[in-house]
Amino acid sequence: MSGSTGPQADATRHPREHLTVTPSPEAFRRARADGNERLRGSGSLFESFFALDGAAYAPGALPVSVKELLGLVVSVMKDCEECVYYHLERCDEERVARDQVLEALQIALIGGGSVTIPLLRRAVSYMEKLPNLGDGRA
């Protein structure tokens, strides 16, 4: 049976293409904000956690930029793609140098091993879409 709908509709797409496609920063920000609002309306514990998270990343003995790099490494190690994008966004906002972010990602690779490479590929692709971390190829 042939047709233009269903799983066979786009035979030109690679079956694993979704594994390598990164969202645009704008799409990621919208989805994150929408999801956070839904969580905030679902119970006070969510709001408490958001406050704790905000306090952990506030300026202190460590500069915010260093805390964001640490958060990035932890996010890779925990295999949290959304967290990686978030910390890349924050590194971009804090104007962390691209070389510093890449070194932090290398530390994550050493700590997490080769299993982190797929996420690291998406992280570098996402970086290219950010104004300060991009390498001009976006």
Side-chain angles (χ1 to χ4, degrees):
M1 177 171 152
S2 65
S4 60
T5 61
Q8 305 300 321
D10 188 355
T12 61
R13 280 187 62 178
H14 188 277
R16 294 186 186 195
E17 182 179 5
H18 70 281
L19 297 176
T20 58
V21 175
T22 56
S24 70
E26 297 77 20
F28 171 71
R29 288 180 206 124
R30 280 192 308 270
R32 182 175 182 280
D34 183 51
N36 283 348
E37 283 308 308
R38 288 183 176 157
L39 286 176
R40 283 186 166 99
S42 301
S44 62
L45 186 57
F46 294 114
E47 191 59 46
S48 296
F49 182 81
F50 289 145
L52 177 64
D53 184 67
Y57 286 91
L62 292 174
V64 172
S65 59
V66 171
K67 291 181 178 190
E68 292 301 337
L69 288 169
L70 291 168
L72 178 61
V73 170
V74 170
S75 297
V76 171
M77 301 284 296
K78 298 296 285 183
D79 195 29
C80 181
E81 186 169 355
E82 284 190 26
C83 300
V84 167
Y85 296 157
Y86 174 76
H87 289 291
L88 287 172
E89 292 263 342
R90 291 291 300 125
C91 285
D92 190 66
E93 291 168 8
E94 292 294 321
R95 300 211 182 266
V96 176
R98 180 180 172 81
D99 290 348
Q100 291 176 318
V101 173
L102 290 171
E103 281 191 20
L105 292 175
Q106 290 175 27
I107 296 297
L109 172 61
I110 295 303
S114 63
V115 73
T116 64
I117 290 175
L119 181 53
L120 293 173
R121 285 186 200 121
R122 293 189 303 276
V124 171
S125 177
Y126 193 82
M127 282 175 62
E128 291 170 359
K129 300 174 184 181
L130 296 172
N132 299 312
L133 292 178
D135 65 0
R137 296 189 295 161

